[in-house]
Amino acid sequence: MPAVAGVKPGHLRFVDRFNAANTTHDGHLTLVQAQAAHMGGVARQFAVIDSQGKGYITLDDVRAYHRQQ
């Protein structure tokens, strides 16, 4: 995979996995979608990432979670 300016290695792959798992293509990943896509880390931390209790997470939610870690 070619390098993308300003994107950390592995990040683009995660974004691609997130988008593929988001079968409704609305930018909102549910726990069921994360589990079905075998995104174990996201599924295990889903409640923490979904700090507002929306029932879904976005890429921005995941980024915010990682900034806090």
Side-chain angles (χ1 to χ4, degrees):
M1 178 176 294
V4 177
V7 177
K8 294 180 183 178
H11 179 73
L12 188 59
R13 184 175 35 214
F14 178 81
V15 171
D16 290 340
R17 289 187 65 211
F18 183 99
N19 289 332
N22 176 227
T23 56
T24 53
H25 308 291
D26 59 2
H28 299 164
L29 187 71
T30 66
L31 176 58
V32 171
Q33 289 172 329
Q35 290 169 332
H38 304 287
M39 298 178 77
V42 171
R44 281 189 298 279
Q45 296 299 319
F46 191 89
V48 177
I49 299 169
D50 181 19
S51 61
Q52 297 175 359
K54 301 174 300 222
Y56 64 84
I57 59 174
T58 64
L59 282 170
D60 286 340
D61 294 331
V62 176
R63 289 179 186 118
Y65 167 77
H66 280 288
R67 279 193 301 271
Q68 292 175 346
Q69 297 307 304

